[in-house]
Amino acid sequence: MFLYNVTVIADSDIHGAMREAIEQQLRPYPKTIVRLLELVDSPHEGITYCIHLYAEDEAAIEQFQQTHLHRLQQLANSEYAGKVLFFDSKMKYLIDFSE
């Protein structure tokens, strides 16, 4: 099991539009698989969002990247150049205490 995190830092003047775009891309996923969070007390300027994808395998992460993340990055580059920063991380669960 993997947790894939995408952190999106958006300038304050466009964060609402970026959040709407993120929500639109995430709609097809059940809430148990994908979650959208807002970082509280972020050290960065602007608004920081985190997308969490719970994935069975790395193929599911690659599918998400190609289908949804790529679209968000294209939108950011074309509509909000220089106003949105993406970075991601992939983590593998070692112990799941929820079981």
Side-chain angles (χ1 to χ4, degrees):
M1 188 73 168
F2 292 87
L3 172 64
Y4 179 61
N5 176 74
V6 179
T7 300
V8 182
I9 304 172
D11 283 3
S12 295
D13 60 332
I14 58 96
H15 81 89
M18 199 65 220
R19 179 177 170 173
E20 284 181 34
I22 293 169
E23 288 177 3
Q24 184 176 24
Q25 285 299 313
L26 301 182
R27 272 196 192 101
Y29 285 92
K31 291 178 184 176
T32 56
I33 296 175
V34 174
R35 301 234 170 113
L36 177 62
L37 301 92
E38 183 177 332
L39 187 61
V40 179
D41 298 328
S42 174
H44 307 287
E45 299 231 355
I47 305 298
T48 302
Y49 297 108
C50 296
I51 302 167
H52 284 179
L53 171 70
Y54 300 94
E56 289 290 327
D57 53 34
E58 292 185 73
I61 294 171
E62 290 174 22
Q63 177 67 32
F64 178 83
Q65 289 170 326
Q66 292 171 4
T67 305
H68 301 288
L69 184 59
H70 182 69
R71 288 182 189 153
L72 287 170
Q73 290 171 322
Q74 282 182 320
L75 172 73
N77 290 335
S78 65
E79 299 290 323
Y80 311 115
K83 294 182 172 250
V84 182
L85 174 68
F86 291 84
F87 61 93
D88 62 350
S89 56
K90 189 182 338 177
M91 295 160 270
K92 183 177 180 179
Y93 282 93
L94 300 177
I95 299 173
D96 186 352
F97 291 105
S98 66
E99 296 180 345

